[in-house]
Amino acid sequence: NDDVDADRKLDECLPCPFCGGKSISSYAGSTFRWRYAACNECGAQCSECRMDTMTKPRSEAITEVDKELVQEWNKRA
């Protein structure tokens, strides 16, 4: 049984603007409908993104928000 809320490694991200790390992951945010991305090396974070869990299954909503998180992360670099 996959836990869709588990931390998820994200691809296609630019290096961290603080440490140059090239790996980020998606994490559960401040409430169950939000997620954020953080550098796996220094912990720098981007803004949280809201998931659409009202019209989509949770697993699909997380996959979509992970794409948004990569875009949000790449704005920082």
Side-chain angles (χ1 to χ4, degrees), residues 19-60:
C19 74
K22 296 180 181 176
S23 176
I24 65 172
S25 292
S26 167
Y27 298 93
S30 57
T31 66
F32 71 98
R33 286 192 179 144
W34 294 83
R35 292 186 69 81
Y36 68 92
C39 175
N40 291 331
E41 294 186 34
C42 74
Q45 299 176 5
C46 71
S47 300
E48 290 184 336
C49 291
R50 188 172 191 265
M51 295 184 293
D52 178 9
T53 54
M54 299 300 284
T55 62
K56 298 178 176 133
R58 191 161 179 80
S59 59
E60 184 181 331

